[in-house]
Amino acid sequence: MSKFIAPAITLLLSALPMAAFAQTATFGPQEGDREFSLSGTGSSDRNFDSGSFGVTGDLGWYLRDNTVAGVRQSINYASIEGESIKDDFWNGSTRGYFNYQFLEDNTRPFVGGSLGGIYGDGVKDSAFAGLETGIKHYVQTNTYFLARVEYQFFFSSTSDASDAFQDDGAWAYTVGLGYNF
């Protein structure tokens, strides 16, 4: 029996640092951390004749534990086929964003805003401002699932901006994965 006591004590003592780490590990970022996420979106008609897909990448910096500012790049492709049309379109958008995250748990809802530009085929090159909301769910201390919805309103000049919110806007939806480092 005594030949098992020394190995058992050694095993228990070696597990203490892991137990201490498990108690102090927190989900999500801390002030000064960065984040990178990759999200996608897509759609098609029921016959798969027409469709679109897009990819969005985010790179952000945590100004505080619950506040992140960053830059976001989106690239979208659409193939439209109809009775009198068959065309392919590429477009993109680049924008800065600022988000505030609620809660300090592994599930963190957020709200924020963005400001940037859209360009490419099938769109009028213009500036836009947007409001956004979403949720991050941490599956590990630094890895999360992301779901976000944005309402973007487009304008060509500052005088257009006040009317654009009601008259010239679009919804953008993304689902993806992210990583804090």
Side-chain angles (χ1 to χ4, degrees):
M1 178 86 106
S2 64
K3 66 180 180 178
F4 295 110
I5 293 177
I9 291 173
T10 303
L11 181 64
L12 287 173
L13 289 176
S14 65
L16 285 176
M18 290 187 293
F21 174 76
Q23 289 179 343
T24 60
T26 59
F27 285 99
Q30 306 297 314
E31 183 176 336
D33 286 353
R34 292 171 296 215
E35 73 177 7
F36 174 76
S37 68
L38 195 57
S39 305
T41 187
S43 68
S44 72
D45 66 3
R46 65 186 176 129
N47 296 325
F48 297 99
D49 294 329
S50 298
S52 67
F53 69 88
V55 177
T56 300
D58 295 23
L59 181 61
W61 296 267
Y62 279 84
L63 307 175
R64 298 195 184 267
D65 292 353
N66 58 357
T67 308
V68 62
V71 63
R72 184 176 295 144
Q73 177 66 48
S74 298
I75 299 171
N76 301 292
Y77 169 78
S79 177
I80 309 298
E81 186 174 320
E83 297 207 17
S84 61
I85 186 171
K86 168 83 171 118
D87 212 349
D88 296 335
F89 301 98
W90 286 94
N91 65 51
S93 62
T94 306
R95 57 205 177 275
Y97 68 92
F98 183 85
N99 287 337
Y100 179 83
Q101 296 180 148
F102 299 94
L103 307 178
E104 296 285 327
D105 202 2
N106 62 334
T107 300
R108 295 181 177 201
F110 63 87
V111 296
S114 63
L115 181 64
I118 188 168
Y119 41 84
D121 304 330
V123 297
K124 180 181 174 187
D125 295 355
S126 62
F128 70 88
L131 301 173
E132 60 191 46
T133 187
I135 194 162
K136 293 178 182 175
H137 179 76
Y138 284 85
V139 293
Q140 294 182 354
T141 57
N142 58 355
T143 305
Y144 58 88
F145 288 111
L146 166 71
R148 179 179 59 242
V149 60
E150 302 174 59
Y151 182 75
Q152 304 165 341
F153 54 98
F154 306 102
F155 53 92
S156 298
S157 66
T158 53
S159 61
D160 293 341
S162 61
D163 295 330
F165 185 78
Q166 294 177 358
D167 300 335
D168 194 12
W171 291 96
Y173 310 94
T174 57
V175 176
L177 295 171
Y179 182 77
N180 296 116
F181 55 100

